């Protein structure tokens, strides 16, 4: 297994457009997380899945954001009507329940013009 | 709510020397984990070392060790025999133990540069 993969690595879009990011976790990991990292800051928790169930969403996740994890495999994070403030690195991580250690992907960088 | 503070935005060290990165945290909980993550330029974040709060013994991983002071809520990372590949952003992070051990709270990070 090659680890957590994210696609695309970089997305440039115009304000008001919709964007979708995909995350493929490590295959045996049942937990999947999304974090957002802005310049000069540490990552901030957005949401968390255990298998296909979305168990928690941060207040940072406005109504324009939606995340899914169908069948408990890959996950998508969609941002509707993007704003310049959405520009950030979106990090996906996965873990196996017992160990709890998070394995991160390389991130998807969003630039909203 | 838990907070993590890293007071050193940037640090530099000469190759083969030792450097210590500082981290303090605030929590009212008694059972938790502390982590140091490394984020090399344009690469994914990887776990460097983890400390369980109930363990008094400081964690070590090869050249990396921590100084965990629970009463002072301090968790510093010492890197011995620094190597050029240690150049990265280092994040201190906190999570509760038990069922909520998924949500990491990160500090703002310390950019470490190892000079040849």
């Amino acid at each position: 297994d090659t680890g957590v993969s994210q696609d695309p690595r970089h997305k440039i879009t115009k304000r008001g457009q919709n964007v979708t990011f995909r995350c493929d976790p490590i295959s045996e990991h049942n937990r999947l997380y999304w974090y957002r990292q802005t310049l000069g800051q540490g990552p901030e928790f957005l949401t968390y899945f255990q298998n296909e169930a979305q168990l928690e969403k941060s207040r940072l996740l406005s109504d324009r954001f939606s995340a899914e994890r169908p069948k408990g495999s890959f996950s998508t994070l969609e941002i509707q009507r993007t704003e310049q403030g959405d520009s950030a690195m979106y990090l996906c991580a996965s873990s196996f329940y017992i160990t709890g250690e998070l394995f991160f992907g390389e991130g998807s960088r969003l630039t909203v013009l | 709510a838990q907070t993590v503070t890293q007071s050193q935005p940037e640090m530099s060290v000469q190759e083969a020397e030792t450097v210590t990165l500082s981290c303090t945290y605030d929590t009212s909980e008694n059972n938790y984990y502390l982590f140091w993550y490394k984020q090399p330029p344009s690469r994914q974040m990887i776990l460097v070392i983890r400390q369980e709060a109930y363990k008094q013994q400081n964690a070590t991983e090869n050249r990396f060790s921590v100084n965990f002071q629970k009463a002072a809520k301090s968790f510093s990372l010492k890197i011995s025999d620094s190597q050029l590949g240690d150049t990265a952003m280092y994040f201190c992070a906190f999570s509760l133990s038990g069922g909520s051990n998924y949500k990491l709270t990160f500090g703002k990070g310390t950019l470490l540069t190892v000079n040849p």
Side-chain angles (χ1 to χ4, degrees):
Chain A
D1 188 74
T2 57
V4 179
S5 62
Q6 294 188 243
D7 183 70
R9 294 290 311 282
H10 194 182
K11 178 73 175 179
I12 301 173
T13 190
K14 293 182 179 179
R15 185 166 51 93
Q17 298 295 306
N18 299 342
V19 296
T20 299
F21 300 114
R22 176 182 170 123
C23 171
D24 287 90
I26 294 172
S27 57
E28 63 267 25
H29 286 181
N30 59 344
R31 291 186 169 186
L32 185 146
Y33 320 78
W34 286 98
Y35 284 80
R36 181 172 70 186
Q37 185 177 19
T38 53
L39 199 62
Q41 303 292 322
E44 297 172 294
F45 172 80
L46 290 180
T47 189
Y48 149 69
F49 290 85
Q50 182 159 309
N51 301 313
E52 67 276 8
Q54 187 175 19
L55 297 187
E56 186 171 342
K57 294 191 293 185
S58 162
R59 294 176 186 177
L60 295 174
L61 218 62
S62 75
D63 292 343
R64 298 184 296 104
F65 288 71
S66 62
E68 295 182 345
R69 192 185 182 197
K71 302 179 182 179
S73 56
F74 70 93
S75 176
T76 58
L77 176 68
E78 180 183 16
I79 309 174
Q80 297 182 327
R81 305 180 303 281
T82 52
E83 302 173 355
Q84 288 187 328
D86 297 332
S87 294
M89 178 75 84
Y90 290 86
L91 298 172
C92 178
S94 68
S95 74
F96 185 57
Y97 176 79
I98 293 177
T99 64
E101 176 185 342
L102 268 62
F103 292 80
F104 284 85
E106 295 189 27
S108 292
R109 181 171 295 283
L110 174 64
T111 302
V112 182
L113 302 177
Chain B
Q2 290 75 31
T3 60
V4 177
T5 302
Q6 294 179 250
S7 59
Q8 305 152 314
E10 295 186 35
M11 292 192 71
S12 63
V13 64
Q14 293 299 119
E15 197 174 5
E17 293 187 348
T18 295
V19 64
T20 298
L21 308 184
S22 301
C23 172
T24 57
Y25 61 95
D26 190 27
T27 183
S28 58
E29 302 292 333
N30 196 45
N31 298 314
Y32 50 87
Y33 296 104
L34 294 163
F35 308 83
W36 280 98
Y37 275 86
K38 169 186 177 181
Q39 188 176 38
S42 301
R43 299 190 62 183
Q44 70 260 52
M45 200 171 316
I46 57 173
L47 179 66
V48 175
I49 199 164
R50 172 172 56 190
Q51 174 80 43
E52 289 91 342
Y54 68 88
K55 291 186 177 179
Q56 291 186 337
Q57 186 173 6
N58 289 323
T60 63
E61 288 288 343
N62 300 315
R63 299 183 293 108
F64 299 88
S65 61
V66 298
N67 183 5
F68 174 47
Q69 301 290 328
K70 191 172 184 179
K73 295 181 181 176
S74 170
F75 183 62
S76 60
L77 174 69
K78 185 172 81 171
I79 306 174
S80 304
D81 185 25
S82 296
Q83 301 176 359
L84 296 178
D86 294 334
T87 293
M89 184 71 84
Y90 286 81
F91 292 98
C92 179
F94 170 102
S95 78
L96 295 174
S97 62
S100 299
N101 68 349
Y102 53 83
K103 193 189 318 183
L104 294 177
T105 300
F106 288 86
K108 291 187 176 183
T110 296
L111 178 60
L112 175 67
T113 302
V114 180
N115 299 308

